Amino acid sequence: GAVVSQHPSWVICKSGTSVKIECRSLDFQATTMFWYRQFPKQSLMLMATSNEGSKATYEQGVEKDKFLINHASLTLSTLTVTSAHPEDSSFYICSAPSDRGQRGYTFGSGTRLTVV
Amino acid sequence: DQQVKQNSPSLSVQEGRISILNCDYTNSMFDYFLWYKKYPAEGPTFLISISSIKDKNEDGRFTVFLNKSAKHLSLHIVPSQPGDSAVYFCAAYNAGNMLTFGGGTRLMVKP
């Protein structure tokens, strides 16, 4: 089945540094990938839609200069949290549409970011 | 405006009993619905889905019911097992092929 690999699974960084999170579709091509952030009260918030070969589409309220998204190939999208602050600490999840039928989106395993 | 709502943030059920998770939506253009299960520190995994042309889909212990007139769907788990304890998200597709998620319901199945 479709697999989305997300790395790293957890990362701790200092305030002011940048962190890159990778999302790869392993056995299918993904022209579109989605980046979510999960807040402590469990809801999944769509941050942006990553489009291969073009600019990402950001949801309202998401700072595009802070959360840089690059979708350079059909199997790789990256999210870079720039100049990270403690309030950026969260659980970030990527996903890709795999099959409209049974599967819907396939999700990565998520990245726990802690900014100290 | 939340187009997909899960009004119960949490649900506690005894092992062996039925768990019923509810989801309401407002957009009549949604034509496909899914339930995802999520454990802590993991990405959501697909559980079961239903097309808007159906009113019921069953897969083992999991059944999803869709009431289009009420814009309501529910996930039934029977019998509930401790391993079912997780956060459950309902999600809906519209014609633009974008998934919209509800806020999630945390299910706790007590032994």
Side-chain angles (χ1 to χ4, degrees), chain A residues 16-88:
Chain A
T17 61
S18 296
V19 174
K20 180 186 284 189
I21 303 169
E22 291 190 349
C23 183
R24 293 181 186 272
S25 56
L26 295 188
D27 48 3
F28 66 102
Q29 293 182 335
T31 55
T32 301
M33 288 187 177
F34 304 96
W35 288 94
Y36 293 85
R37 180 174 178 176
Q38 184 177 27
F39 289 97
K41 289 192 174 182
Q42 80 204 12
S43 63
L44 286 173
M45 185 195 82
L46 177 65
M47 297 175 64
T49 302
S50 165
N51 303 298
E52 187 268 335
S54 64
K55 290 183 178 180
T57 304
Y58 290 81
E59 296 299 303
Q60 193 173 11
V62 178
E63 299 176 61
K64 58 181 68 177
D65 293 331
K66 180 163 190 64
F67 298 99
L68 299 179
I69 290 174
N70 185 289
H71 195 150
S73 77
L74 287 171
T75 60
L76 175 64
S77 176
T78 60
L79 167 67
T80 301
V81 183
T82 63
S83 186
H85 290 288
E87 57 264 31
D88 298 326

Side-chain angles (χ1 to χ4, degrees), chain B residues 10-97:
Chain B
S10 66
L11 174 68
S12 183
V13 171
Q14 203 67 34
E15 181 180 6
R17 306 296 290 269
I18 185 171
S19 295
I20 300 176
L21 296 97
N22 294 303
C23 180
D24 297 293
Y25 62 96
T26 57
N27 189 341
S28 57
M29 297 301 292
F30 289 142
D31 62 354
Y32 198 84
F33 304 87
L34 306 94
W35 284 93
Y36 286 85
K37 179 179 179 179
K38 186 184 181 304
Y39 292 117
E42 293 184 12
T45 55
F46 168 78
L47 194 58
I48 194 169
S49 63
I50 188 167
S51 165
S52 60
I53 62 173
K54 295 185 176 182
D55 54 19
K56 177 182 175 181
N57 188 26
E58 191 172 353
D59 183 3
R61 295 186 298 114
F62 304 92
T63 303
V64 56
F65 294 93
L66 175 62
N67 183 334
K68 283 186 66 179
S69 60
K71 294 191 176 68
H72 176 83
L73 66 155
S74 60
L75 174 68
H76 293 212
I77 306 173
V78 55
S80 301
Q81 299 173 354
D84 296 330
S85 297
V87 177
Y88 290 79
F89 292 95
C90 70
Y93 265 123
N94 60 16
N97 227 25

